[in-house]
Amino acid sequence: MTAGPPSSTSHFHTSHWGAFTPGIERGDVTAVHPSPFDPAPSPLLGNLVGSLRHRLRIPRPMVREGWLRDGPGPAPRRGDEPFVPVGWDEVVDRLADELRRVYSQRGPEAVFGGSYGWSSAGRFHHAQGQVHRFLNTLGGYVASVNTYSAGTSEVLLPHVLGAGPEILRSLTSWPVLLEHTELMVCVGGVPAKNMAVAPGGVTAHTTEGHLAAMAARGTELVLVGPDRRDLPAEVSSRWLPVRPGTDAAFLLALCHVLVTEGLYDEAFLATHCAGSDQVLDHLLGRSDGTPKSPRWAAELCGVDADAITALAHRMASRRTMITLTFSLQRAEFGEQPVWAGVLLAALLGQIGLPGGGFGHGYGSIGDNGHPAHTTTLPTLPQGHNPVRERIPVARIADMLLHPGAEYDYDGARRRYPDIELVYWCGGNPFHHHQHLARLRAAWRRVPTVVVHEPYWTPAARHADIVLPATVTLERDDIGASRTDTFLTAMHAGAAPYEQARDDYTAFSAVAAVLGTEKEYTEGRSAADWLRHLYDGWRADDAARPDFDAFWAAGQVRVPSPPPGVLLADFRRDPAAHPLATPSGRIELSSAVVASFGYRDCPGHPTWLEPVEWHGSERAGRFPLVLLANNPAARLHSQLDFGEHSRESKVAGREPVRIHPADATRRGLRSGDLVRVLNDRGACLAGVVVDADLSPGVVQMSTGAWLSPVPDVEPLLCAAGNVNVLTRDVGSSRLSQGCAGARALVEIEKWRGPVPAIDAASPPETV
């Protein structure tokens, strides 16, 4: 990333991690100039340098050799075979023939339309919207619901607070916290690394500034979790290193103190909550014989009972915000700490008050805590999908491995569809998913996999038909996000790489062969669509500049809504503003959830012992608890080859942080190359010895591109993809959310020949 003013020929652009103007020479990015409105630009912008003409770009359409020779069918070598370059006319005809076969013989219920939505900040060239619109013109597709990031909470919170994603996007605003919050208890922290990124981009990164201002004003910020880095050191007032997997027990113990010492708000429970009697019986041990006391929790959490009691006392005497990161629910039984956090805030009686109550996701994503726009942003319509079958996104491997199998989800008994074709456009499932050896096996059972990709990502390498896609700086678009204060004209800065095409052009060509071009394009070019989408947005406010003026200016300011307080209207008048729960109140205990009979998610918050934690039998073989969280050096797995991402590597691999005592016990030093392993697989990593972790805990970020070492079982990733190690199980039968935030592992020094990272070079072509 380069500071200073951009050249006069540069144009505005934006990304999920910030707005910028690029310096481009000979068709590639040589410098990136952050927005002048950004007080804290993200270093992730540095990954864009050299990205347009990188050797991992896909130059032309490619077809896997075996699929070209044998046609569709399960492919045990998918991901290992070479590719054959073909022309656009040929690949369009072959793809159209395959789509025609699947839709005519098996129907749209046999097509899975995969995309995870992070490929571009643009509103039109949005890969997820493009692939869904295209497949809808053919008759529909099997879709996924929820997210890897917060899928567990997205299912739980409607039962507890009457809304899921809406609650997560309506958190009490940072300026309100700055003015009113006296104590902020950060369970899982407020990680600075996640604040750089938001869907559609963040023109001005201000969250770290708000945290610093809160600390300067005297707000006490308490970090609860095993990694001191999860709250910026300059703002942290106190660190309680709770063991991974015991957060629910810790929160229930705080609740126990409030109840047994008469410090809770009985009136708020009576007027705004339902299910209080059942959950109080659980806290006091009346229902199971085990009071959830600080002494009980201390043995599980590793935090002194007196420290738990003292924190409960401070919470009861101050305006207190309870915040939990998304990582807590991205785990087995992940519903429980979230529900326990709501319970704790309700007992304090501060929900709906300025600066108090409950917040889920501060620091988990850059726009949480910033008010969302009330008007609709320019958005490409996706059409109607008549296929009603949906799967939770974290259950993709289950669906492909077990077609027709039944599974539970949110009170319903469902059946996995039998997928004949996967169409993936935008996103890398070999980053987001867990237990990647299992995902590889599932992926190889599908007869046909189609992928649009700019780069030879692991997803592209595991495809049959690969269409080379443009990147965001090779096409015009409109950038906007749900909280950003600018709408950005994303000017193309370079010609497309070799034969790459944008998704819209590629889909239009296939639609023309299939006879659905009129439905897909509506007679518009990409430029026509940009003008059409902008004009539709401008119609809400005639004072906004017309499209030509907007395009020439590069940006238009979008007024930000005033700061808000989560559930303020409900607190003020619960009868006039009831929640969308059966009682209209906060359901501290849910009769609906209890009626499902799920032992892994009972009808009120509780602590359930994880399969993998420091106290489990498996810890005898794999004694270290691995924290697998989002990276600081890139967005998910994007541009892992970028300059900033490469600078984060150790010994050429993804770093693994380990406490000095654990490192000494294994004879390890910073910079050593190690194998991180369990019985699901292993990956190579570079050691960073770090006292900011609790003993017995190690940390690795997700996002290194999967690079399997040939002929090694179980799977060994040379690059350090941590999801080789994580479990592919649902967080519970209620949500079937991602449970990949933790795993048990062992670490040993690597002493053999160092394997090459195949993902760093393009695959073989013939």
Side-chain angles (χ1 to χ4, degrees), residues 213-224:
M214 289 175 68
R217 176 183 172 273
T219 303
E220 181 184 3
L221 291 106
V222 177
L223 169 62
V224 178

Side-chain angles (χ1 to χ4, degrees), residues 8 15-16 58 135 184 247 282 320 328 342 368 413 438 459 485 492 497 512-513 546 576 631 680 705 743:
S8 60
S15 67
H16 292 300
I58 302 172
L135 295 176
M184 191 167 180
D247 307 276
H282 179 70
T320 301
L328 299 181
V342 174
N368 277 359
R413 190 74 173 160
R438 187 172 187 265
T485 54
Y497 177 72
V513 175
D546 64 22
R680 288 181 287 274
W705 284 11

Side-chain angles (χ1 to χ4, degrees), residues 303-645:
V303 173
D304 185 75
D306 291 340
I308 297 174
T309 301
L311 178 59
H313 291 165
R314 296 201 306 280
M315 294 168 70
S317 64
R318 305 181 189 182
R319 183 63 57 88
T320 301
M321 171 60 70
I322 313 297
T323 176
L324 297 92
T325 61
F326 287 169
S327 61
L328 299 181
Q329 52 84 64
R330 203 162 52 244
E332 188 180 23
F333 316 133
E335 293 86 353
Q336 303 312 313
V338 177
W339 207 344
V342 174
L343 170 62
L344 178 58
L347 289 170
L348 290 170
Q350 297 185 24
I351 291 176
L353 291 178
F358 168 80
H360 187 22
Y362 289 110
S364 293
I365 197 165
D367 59 2
N368 277 359
H370 301 276
H373 300 298
T374 56
T375 58
T376 303
L377 297 171
T379 303
L380 177 69
Q382 297 182 15
H384 172 65
N385 184 3
V387 178
R388 304 321 315 151
E389 187 62 60
R390 304 283 190 271
I391 66 157
V393 69
R395 303 273 55 80
I396 291 172
D398 282 356
M399 173 186 69
L400 299 179
L401 285 170
H402 305 296
E406 293 186 340
Y407 67 101
D408 290 300
Y409 173 70
D410 200 13
R413 190 74 173 160
R414 297 191 175 191
R415 190 182 299 274
Y416 288 120
D418 189 357
I419 298 300
E420 183 81 5
L421 183 146
V422 169
Y423 208 128
W424 204 278
C425 186
N428 176 15
F430 289 87
H431 151 72
H432 273 103
H433 209 72
Q434 287 68 58
H435 194 177
L436 292 181
R438 187 172 187 265
L439 180 65
R440 279 188 110 199
W443 214 250
R444 289 169 165 173
R445 294 188 75 255
V446 185
T448 298
V449 177
V450 185
V451 167
H452 294 202
E453 256 296 343
Y455 302 100
W456 280 115
T457 64
R461 291 169 183 264
H462 286 81
D464 300 313
I465 298 174
V466 182
L467 302 188
T470 55
V471 295
T472 177
L473 278 166
E474 295 169 344
R475 59 201 182 216
D476 292 335
D477 210 338
I478 298 172
S481 82
R482 58 201 180 199
T483 65
D484 202 13
T485 54
F486 287 94
L487 199 74
T488 301
M490 299 170 64
H491 291 260
Y497 177 72
E498 296 207 12
Q499 296 183 26
R501 296 181 180 179
D502 62 68
D503 298 321
Y504 183 70
T505 301
F507 282 130
S508 297
V510 180
V513 175
L514 293 172
T516 58
E517 183 179 19
K518 181 179 179 181
E519 291 85 350
Y520 178 67
T521 69
E522 297 183 21
R524 297 187 181 96
S525 67
D528 294 336
W529 270 109
L530 294 184
R531 187 178 295 271
H532 174 74
L533 296 178
Y534 181 89
D535 288 345
W537 173 77
R538 180 174 179 258
D540 292 337
D541 185 351
R544 293 167 177 165
D546 64 22
F547 179 81
D548 292 327
F550 157 67
W551 199 253
Q555 286 184 318
V556 59
R557 189 177 289 275
V558 182
S560 181
V565 175
L566 180 63
L567 299 178
D569 290 340
F570 165 73
R571 179 188 182 87
R572 184 175 62 255
D573 192 338
H577 301 280
L579 305 180
T581 58
S583 64
R585 301 179 180 186
I586 299 169
E587 302 249 337
L588 303 180
S589 178
S590 169
V592 173
V593 173
S595 72
F596 299 156
Y598 299 153
R599 287 193 297 177
D600 55 5
C601 188
H604 57 73
T606 187
W607 180 74
L608 300 171
E609 182 176 356
V611 171
E612 299 198 12
W613 72 303
H614 83 281
S616 64
E617 183 179 339
R618 282 177 57 86
R621 296 173 57 204
F622 306 110
L624 299 171
V625 181
L626 168 70
L627 306 179
N629 52 16
N630 284 338
R634 59 193 166 264
L635 167 58
H636 297 315
S637 68
Q638 287 189 37
L639 303 176
D640 185 36
F641 56 78
E643 179 180 310
H644 183 61
S645 181

Side-chain angles (χ1 to χ4, degrees), residues 633-722:
R634 59 193 166 264
L635 167 58
H636 297 315
S637 68
Q638 287 189 37
L639 303 176
D640 185 36
F641 56 78
E643 179 180 310
H644 183 61
S645 181
R646 290 198 318 271
E647 288 174 351
S648 73
K649 307 290 184 180
V650 175
R653 270 71 179 174
E654 196 65 21
V656 57
R657 296 166 56 221
I658 184 171
H659 188 273
D662 296 316
T664 299
R665 194 172 295 118
R666 291 162 177 80
L668 301 177
R669 297 180 179 180
S670 289
D672 284 347
L673 183 65
V674 295
R675 183 170 74 125
V676 186
L677 70 146
N678 58 27
D679 49 8
R680 288 181 287 274
C683 62
L684 300 186
V687 170
V688 176
V689 178
D690 190 348
D692 281 343
L693 282 170
S694 298
V697 175
V698 296
Q699 181 270 327
M700 280 187 75
S701 295
T702 59
W705 284 11
L706 177 68
S707 186
V709 177
D711 305 319
V712 174
E713 294 293 338
L715 187 118
L716 170 64
C717 175
N721 188 309
V722 72

